[in-house]
Every structure is written in C-alpha cells, then in structure tokens.
Amino acid sequence: MRYLSRTHPGFFKNKRVLLRADFNIENPKDPNGLFRLEATIPTIKKLLRGGAKKIIILSHRGRPSSSEADLSLRPLAPLLAKRLNSEVDFALAENINKIKKIIKSSRAKIILLENLRFFAGEESNDPKFARAIASLGDIYINDAFAVSHRKNASIVAITRFLPSYVGLLLEKEMASLNRVRKVEKRPFVLIVAGAKTADKIGVLKYFAKKADYILLGGGPANTFLRAAGVPVDSSLYDPRLTSFAGKLLRNRNIILPVDSLGEKNRILDIGPATERLFSKIISKSKLILWNGPMGQFEIKRFSSGTGSIWRAILKNHKACVVVGGGETVASAKLITNNLKLLTSKRKNIFVSTGGGAMLDYLAGNKLSGIEVLNHKK
Ligand code: ADP
Ligand code: MG
C-alpha cells in the first residue's frame, strides 16, 4: 500500500489530488456532527503544505434517491473554508465535463464536489463514471474509512485509473483497530449493545475467546438473556440468533445486565446495578472497545446507561479506548457538545468514523475499498 504519511514533502507539487473524504454529516449545525469533517483536516493540511495544485474533495451524504436538496454537500463548503482559513469552491453540475470546467476556472485550491450519490454511477461502481471522476485529478487518496466497505465508484473502481494512496485518517483508523484486534493490552473489555444484533455477530465471534470481558446491552443483551431463558417480553431482540448466543454463553467472559429500565414490557436501558457492575469492569481495563448505546438514549429516561459508560471511560485515563458506530458516536452528546475538544485532550480515546466499516474490519472481513489499495498501479 502507498501511504500519504510516507510521501516526501513537495510530492504533491503541481498535482491535482482527488481526496475521497467522508463528509456524510447528518446535521452540519451540530458541532459534534462535524467530527467527521474534523477528522479529515490533517490530510487536507498535509496536501496544502505539500504544494498540491488542486484538492478536489469527493464525498457522499445520506442515501439520496435523486438529487435531494437537503442532502447537498453545499453547506459544508463554507464550514470547511472557515476551518482551513482558505477558499473552498463548491462544484455543482450535472456532468463531469461541466465540473471539469468549473475546476479549471476556479481560483480556489480546494473544490468540494456535490454529493456523489446524486450520480447513478457512484453506487453501482460504474467504471465509466469512475474514469470520468479520475480524469479530474492526477492522484487519488482514500480517507473515507466509513465507506471503505462499499463497492462504490469513488472508493473501488476509481483506483483502476489513478495511483492510489491511503490517507492519514484511513491509516489511523486501521492502526487503532489493529491494536484492538491484536489485543495489545489486558484486561481487554468489549462492550456491545445497540439495536442490530446481527451486525455485531462478526465482532462477537472474533473476540469471543480473546476478550477478558464482554459487556452486553441493548438488543444483543436481550438476545443473550433470551438464550439464557430469561423472559424479555416485547423487548428488541433477534430470535434468529438465540442459539448462537446460547453457545457463546458457555464462555465465562460474557456479562449480561443484572437489572433494567423500561416500559410496557420492553427493556429500554440497563439499570443502576448494571451501570455499577459495568463501570467497575471498565475502570480496571487497559483496552476498551465499545459499539452500541446501552439503551434508547435518544429518550432522556433511557439515556442513563449509555451516559454511565461514557463517564466510566472518561474516568479511565490509562486505558486505550476505541469507540465507534453511528449512534454510539452520536450519544457522545450526553457528555459533551464538543467531541473534537474531548478527543484532542484525551489522546487515549479514539473515536472511529466507521460504523458498518468498523464492525467489518474488526470481524476480519475484507473491505473492498482497502483491498484495492493493495494493488499497485
Ligand atoms: P451504532 O449505530 O452505534 O452501531 P446501532 O445502530 O446498533 O448502534 O443501535 C443504535 C440504536 O439502538 C439507538 O438508536 C438506540 O435507541 C437503540 N437501542 C439501544 N438499546 C435499545 C433497547 N434496549 N431497545 C431498543 N432500542 C435500543
Ligand atoms: Mg446505527
């Protein structure tokens, strides 16, 4: 693989760089939401320092069915310009030839393209579309870890047409997750909760024998409780996975909630005794991996469990911590509205930008967008 971090200063001089970033930001007005944009800043700064002629930023936003105005990337251009203190132009056009003209005539060094998913070729990994975007630049950098499990044109097919590099963020994501996969420190605690138990099975399998403790909440906890013969009534759980859960329960490292909060026969959060039990284990761990809110934290009454995990993690200054998942990261609002400041102060905590990509990577599945970076061109 070729890494941006290993290029010599001046390497990008006079080059037009295509940077695939992950600006899939739900609400640009929410400062915590901008954490994904923030994560790409070091890469952009390095390219600016390296003398790149143009930095053309490619991203998608949301899951548009056509060009929906509220999924435009336009609001991010001024935010990026302000953050970098540099001009950023936004290129909106119905085809790549027009975009090429906009880029040529623009004085700005940085150009943000409109939501790639507004083009049909992006999600179908269309080589013609990939070739057209590739023609906008001289080299390509993937810094969009969160999308690297997707066979999209700007992630996979584009690498056929340009020399391709691993961006600083993608490299950091892989290094942090590799540290966890290798269980570099012990005790190691894996915390898995959230809604979609099926998505987390790969991670549970991979770490089943490796983790010192596996703390469960949310849908996964309910599925395991069910497997253990505890009635969970109308709570969220995955009936297809109870037999798998039953097998895993033989491992003594699985720790289930001992109490819960809820309503109408539904478990919607862990209870106070579980908060204490989980916090204690977190406090004595040296390596922590967390995916999935402990309860329906979007509702204040059921946010206490998730908040307690964040607080326990913050109290542990010695552990190496990796936190990831769309809603898990969103739940940071329970403890801060400045996630950027928090992670810059607490170097022991790494917040992954990946949801599905992180779970895939941790489980050991190959990510198409990373695999193609192995091929030399
Ligand atoms: P992530 O996006 O961090 O990977 P998931 O998508 O798996 O996490 O799950 C997040 C959702 O899980 C949250 O919206 C939360 O409301 C929900 N959740 C957590 N615990 C429960 C529960 N006991 N019952 C229903 N929903 C839950
Ligand atoms: Mg989610």
Side-chain angles (χ1 to χ4, degrees):
M1 282 197 193
R2 281 185 274 211
Y3 292 90
L4 173 59
S5 64
R6 293 180 204 161
T7 56
H8 53 80
F11 176 77
F12 297 100
K13 215 167 177 58
N14 288 323
K15 287 200 173 83
R16 298 168 304 160
V17 182
L18 287 180
L19 173 64
R20 179 45 160 114
D22 171 30
F23 289 175
N24 183 17
I25 291 159
E26 207 170 291
N27 177 9
K29 292 203 179 94
D30 165 20
N32 270 2
L34 291 178
F35 128 93
R36 286 179 168 213
L37 183 130
E38 193 54 39
T40 315
I41 297 295
T43 294
I44 302 174
K45 281 194 170 163
K46 184 165 168 96
L47 294 172
L48 286 170
R49 275 200 311 273
K53 184 161 79 184
K54 291 273 179 203
I55 302 166
I56 300 150
I57 303 179
L58 315 167
S59 179
H60 78 280
R61 187 164 169 231
R63 294 184 172 159
S65 48
S66 59
S67 25
E68 294 157 48
D70 59 344
L71 291 178
S72 171
L73 281 165
R74 189 188 286 280
L76 294 171
L79 295 174
L80 194 60
K82 193 169 161 218
R83 175 63 182 83
L84 291 164
N85 197 15
S86 140
E87 217 179 315
V88 177
D89 264 351
F90 179 71
L92 167 73
E94 61 276 19
N95 67 54
I96 301 289
N97 272 334
K98 284 196 180 155
I99 289 177
K100 206 175 267 176
K101 282 191 193 122
I102 297 174
I103 294 174
K104 268 223 173 100
S105 63
S106 164
R107 282 187 5 224
K109 220 168 218 169
I110 305 170
I111 314 240
L112 175 63
L113 257 55
E114 179 54 297
N115 192 343
L116 289 177
R117 289 193 183 168
F118 289 173
F119 297 92
E122 169 64 358
E123 287 189 271
S124 62
N125 197 28
D126 177 7
K128 275 201 217 100
F129 177 64
R131 191 206 292 265
I133 337 175
S135 73
L136 301 173
D138 304 306
I139 63 167
Y140 165 79
I141 297 174
N142 181 352
D143 218 16
F145 174 68
V147 210
S148 291
H149 58 323
R150 302 256 181 242
K151 278 201 182 94
N152 289 172
S154 68
I155 295 285
V156 174
I158 193 169
T159 61
R160 281 198 240 158
F161 305 107
L162 288 175
S164 304
Y165 287 77
V166 175
L168 301 184
L169 175 62
L170 178 57
E171 183 177 357
K172 199 168 162 194
E173 291 273 3
M174 293 194 288
S176 306
L177 299 182
N178 286 342
R179 212 170 295 146
V180 177
R181 290 194 91 241
K182 286 188 214 142
V183 190
E184 283 190 352
K185 288 180 178 183
R186 286 187 187 278
F188 166 47
V189 59
L190 168 66
I191 309 163
V192 176
K196 296 168 268 174
T197 308
D199 291 357
K200 329 230 165 183
I201 287 302
V203 171
L204 285 170
K205 266 191 193 155
Y206 177 78
F207 288 112
K209 292 234 152 60
K210 293 184 175 72
D212 297 298
Y213 307 96
I214 300 179
L215 313 182
L216 298 178
N222 296 339
T223 307
F224 278 72
L225 284 168
R226 185 64 217 258
V230 179
V232 296
D233 304 315
S234 333
S235 304
L236 176 77
Y237 80 103
D238 193 328
R240 293 161 305 173
L241 293 169
T242 47
S243 82
F244 163 81
K247 273 182 216 137
L248 235 60
L249 273 174
R250 288 186 214 136
N251 296 349
R252 303 244 331 258
N253 53 7
I254 301 255
I255 301 174
L256 295 172
V258 291
D259 59 349
S260 64
L261 303 181
E263 63 182 14
K264 294 189 190 126
N265 292 329
R266 278 164 62 83
I267 299 170
L268 293 169
D269 198 5
I270 55 173
T274 310
E275 284 185 13
R276 285 193 295 276
L277 173 69
F278 285 7
S279 299
K280 201 169 164 201
I281 293 169
I282 290 168
S283 75
K284 61 182 181 190
S285 295
K286 295 271 163 44
L287 182 63
I288 301 167
L289 170 62
W290 179 26
N291 167 260
M294 286 294 133
Q296 218 174 73
F297 74 94
E298 295 90 343
I299 299 170
K300 198 159 180 262
R301 296 201 302 293
F302 304 118
S303 66
S304 173
T306 306
S308 76
I309 301 290
W310 275 114
R311 283 189 297 276
I313 284 176
L314 286 180
K315 268 193 207 143
N316 187 338
H317 288 257
K318 288 198 189 114
C320 166
V321 182
V322 174
V323 178
E327 270 87 22
T328 311
V329 175
S331 79
K333 70 168 187 225
L334 297 172
I335 50 142
T336 180
N337 47 29
N338 198 337
L339 189 55
K340 175 193 152 192
L341 184 70
L342 187 143
T343 49
S344 69
K345 271 203 220 149
R346 293 292 303 272
K347 298 285 180 212
N348 66 315
I349 303 176
F350 178 73
V351 179
S352 174
T353 54
M358 182 188 81
L359 294 173
D360 269 1
Y361 193 94
L362 287 168
N365 302 334
K366 301 230 179 294
L367 275 58
S368 322
I370 293 177
E371 287 306 295
V372 289
L373 295 175
N374 282 314
H375 306 151
K376 280 257 181 244
K377 191 187 148 0

